[in-house]
Amino acid sequence: MVMSFKHICKQADVSISVKDYAEERFSKLTKLLIHLSDWQINYQAGKRGQYQIDVVVFCAKKTFKASETADSFFSAIDQIVHKLGKQIFKIRSQIHDHKNFASSKEGKLLD
């Protein structure tokens, strides 16, 4: 599945290793997504050494959002992966448990 990432850095210098780590961790969520997705990742350095990351995932029918503040970008990314995984799994199970899933567009995509 093809995913496109857009990294936006506000008031923070983000290294390539952080961006690569984010793309690696978020690419593991592709198993749960049915449609193509565009990812917008906003990095921001806050006060007192806090780092904030906001992630917006644009899919064909749904938009997922998660935000987290932590002591490092790496820990914030890990927490966002957990939050987004729960959101995506919830929507996927709702679609999957629908009564005529096999004849729906999503069901035909998975076959």
Side-chain angles (χ1 to χ4, degrees):
M1 179 168 294
V2 178
M3 297 179 3
S4 64
F5 292 97
K6 182 178 180 182
H7 300 274
I8 300 172
C9 304
K10 297 178 183 176
Q11 302 171 352
D13 292 328
V14 180
S15 66
I16 295 173
S17 63
V18 172
K19 293 179 182 179
D20 290 341
Y21 181 74
E23 289 183 12
E24 177 187 337
R25 294 286 292 162
F26 293 139
S27 66
K28 293 183 180 181
L29 293 175
T30 58
K31 298 175 198 172
L32 299 176
L33 291 173
I34 295 174
H35 299 285
L36 300 176
S37 58
D38 294 324
W39 295 66
Q40 181 177 344
I41 307 167
N42 299 318
Y43 303 92
Q44 187 172 1
K47 298 178 182 176
R48 300 186 187 117
Q50 294 290 314
Y51 300 98
Q52 181 176 354
I53 298 179
D54 302 318
V55 178
V56 181
V57 182
F58 301 101
C59 290
K61 296 185 178 184
K62 188 75 176 165
T63 301
F64 303 99
K65 297 177 185 178
S67 178
E68 188 61 45
T69 303
D71 295 333
S72 70
F73 282 129
F74 294 103
S75 61
I77 290 169
D78 290 335
Q79 294 170 3
I80 286 179
V81 166
H82 182 68
K83 286 181 178 182
L84 285 175
K86 287 172 35 177
Q87 290 178 21
I88 293 169
F89 185 75
K90 179 181 176 182
I91 296 298
R92 182 183 166 104
S93 64
Q94 287 176 356
I95 292 171
H96 221 339
D97 294 340
H98 196 266
K99 57 183 175 181
N100 287 325
F101 178 72
S103 63
S104 68
K105 290 180 183 178
E106 287 84 7
K108 291 177 183 175
L109 283 174
L110 292 177
D111 289 338

